[in-house]
Amino acid sequence: MQRAVTLLLSIVLLTLSPTWALAADLDGATLSPAWGVPFAGILLSIALFPLFSPKFWHHHYGKIAAVWAALFLVPFAAQFGVHAAMANVVHALLAEYIPFIVLLTALYVVAGGICVRGNLHGSPRLNTGILALGTVLASVMGTTGAAMLLIRPLLRANDNRRHVAHVVVFFIFLVANAGGALTPLGDPPLFLGFLKGVEFSWTLRNIFPETIFIWVALLALFYVVDRHYFLNKEEELALAHDPTPDSTNLKIEGKVNFLLLLAVIGLVLMSGLWKPGIAFDVMGTEVPLPALTRDVLLIVVTVVSLLATPHVARAGNEFNWEPILEVGKLFAGIFLTIIPVIAMLKAGTDGAFAGVIRAVSDGNGQPIDSMYFWATGVLSSFLDNAPTYLVFFNTAGGDAATLMTRDASTLAAISAGAVFMGANTYIGNAPNLMVKAIAESRGVRMPSFFGYMAWSGAVLVPLFLVMTFIFFHV
């Protein structure tokens, strides 16, 4: 306990000390690819431990993530100094992780307090309708909000079916990813673009055809796949035994959370529109007043939801903290170990990823839209799609006015790649892991990390190839 207090006091003193106020700039050009090993390690752990040692992983995934974070931070502090390590950790926490997890927790708690009572029967038509509704809602309340609102009713509707994993997989494709493509509220990369000066309605006007294409194609494919499983003889036997009592009327409990969802949306918008010009410097990391206000009020909204929601509503949703804890612990490790990887990307042609940066432009320095689409998308599948979006936003010039007009096709490619290809892996977008965790807590046997990638490789990659030839210059 004494050590913890001493460490906390040391951090506070270092933070307040003028000498230590400036964060050490991490020059990605000086880093070797070896600094990416801890990040690769945590990704492989997420992929392999649940496959080969699921019980060990379930009980110790937080410790495993912490070990990989330590394997980055200790050598980093030894080589670059304790101050540089602390400054980069503070930046990762204050500028990225805390806003990320606070918003995610607010949406998880608020949406988890809305319980739809009544027994919907998971037919192909109903399931397709729920996926379509969630896909549209995702651009209004965010992919996390829409996913948390509808995943439990969808699972309850299909609790008498033998084959359910494919329903959840397509739910991740659509509601947790592609659905958030039309507004900055939908997905974090687009919100970052909004903060950089991209107009609120720009994505709606400029990637609407691409979005409608992927929505319609995935919904049609889902209906065909779900109908195939629904008509299976084994499925017919399972359908006869429905564990959820029949009910002719649908009833919604926890309606106060709809108002709280509006509050969350309003706070996110406020943080992008309110520009008082006031910011606080914490070890070189700038924390703007709007962002700080947003995060504090989101915590207030979360607490209000916990206090105001009837217990029966959360009980009906079988609400528990495990999914958000899993996301929180794993992404804490990811956000720390990703520090050198993002720095190497930001170094452009001087960094270890110079080949990727060079590949997105032709010999005359002109952007190649198809390469921006795939480079942004593939990296967003394994890295956090928000900083990846920013890297390629800046690689394409970084001027919002130019990117919205002269280079609109390039910005469209970057936006589409970041949002759509977050569905390629479980870690491509935070709601993916949350949906997986909730489904598994309800007894659904979800595909492994590589099993899920087999689904995305078979379904999504061919659609992305078609999109490349139709919408982006090859």
Side-chain angles (χ1 to χ4, degrees), residues 123-397:
S123 66
R125 183 177 297 179
L126 176 76
N127 287 341
T128 304
I130 293 176
L131 263 62
L133 174 63
T135 301
V136 173
L137 287 177
S139 282
V140 179
M141 63 172 59
T143 51
T144 301
M148 294 304 99
L149 178 66
L150 292 175
I151 184 59
R152 293 179 180 88
L154 181 66
L155 290 172
R156 195 180 299 118
N158 289 274
D159 58 6
N160 62 325
R161 290 187 55 174
R162 183 181 179 88
H163 299 95
V164 183
H166 69 283
V167 179
V168 183
V169 167
F170 274 87
F171 185 90
I172 293 173
F173 290 170
L174 282 158
V175 183
N177 288 276
L182 294 182
T183 75
L185 294 172
D187 218 28
L190 302 184
F191 182 68
L192 287 182
F194 175 60
L195 296 181
K196 289 289 184 180
V198 178
E199 294 175 2
F200 187 86
S201 62
W202 188 91
T203 50
L204 177 62
R205 300 195 312 269
N206 286 271
I207 63 171
F208 185 77
E210 295 92 326
T211 302
I212 293 301
F213 170 82
I214 199 75
W215 286 6
V216 172
L218 284 174
L219 287 170
L221 282 170
F222 170 73
Y223 181 82
V224 171
V225 171
D226 196 41
R227 189 171 185 274
H228 166 74
Y229 282 117
F230 190 75
L231 297 178
N232 184 283
K233 288 185 178 180
E234 293 181 350
E235 195 84 336
E236 291 179 6
L237 295 174
L239 288 170
H241 305 282
D242 192 343
T244 304
D246 282 332
S247 175
T248 56
N249 297 318
L250 291 180
K251 179 184 176 183
I252 298 177
E253 295 173 342
K255 294 178 183 177
V256 65
N257 287 289
F258 284 112
L259 294 176
L260 296 177
L261 269 178
L262 290 176
V264 171
I265 295 170
L267 288 171
V268 171
L269 277 176
M270 174 276 296
S271 66
L273 296 174
W274 180 36
K275 301 183 185 297
I278 301 172
F280 306 94
D281 187 279
V282 183
M283 289 190 71
T285 295
E286 188 177 89
V287 182
L289 178 60
L292 179 62
T293 304
R294 177 198 63 213
D295 293 344
V296 170
L297 291 179
L298 283 174
I299 293 173
V300 172
V301 167
T302 304
V303 173
V304 170
S305 176
L306 289 170
L307 295 175
T309 302
H311 175 72
V312 291
R314 294 202 187 276
N317 280 333
E318 297 178 28
F319 180 89
N320 65 80
W321 292 100
E322 183 59 27
I324 194 67
L325 286 175
E326 180 175 353
V327 169
K329 291 177 182 179
L330 292 179
F331 272 87
I334 289 172
F335 272 84
L336 290 176
T337 57
I338 205 176
I339 290 172
V341 179
I342 294 298
M344 286 185 277
L345 276 171
K346 287 181 177 178
T349 55
D350 295 325
F353 295 101
V356 175
I357 303 301
R358 291 193 187 99
V360 298
S361 301
D362 60 21
N364 298 319
Q366 296 300 307
I368 305 173
D369 294 344
S370 59
M371 293 304 298
Y372 267 102
F373 174 62
W374 282 96
T376 307
V378 170
L379 289 176
S380 291
S381 302
F382 297 95
L383 309 180
D384 181 39
N385 59 2
T388 301
Y389 170 95
L390 280 184
V391 166
F392 287 102
F393 184 93
N394 290 321
T395 302

Side-chain angles (χ1 to χ4, degrees), residues 19-40:
T19 308
W20 290 68
L22 296 177
D25 291 328
L26 182 57
D27 185 3
T30 64
L31 300 178
S32 74
W35 285 105
V37 170
F39 178 69

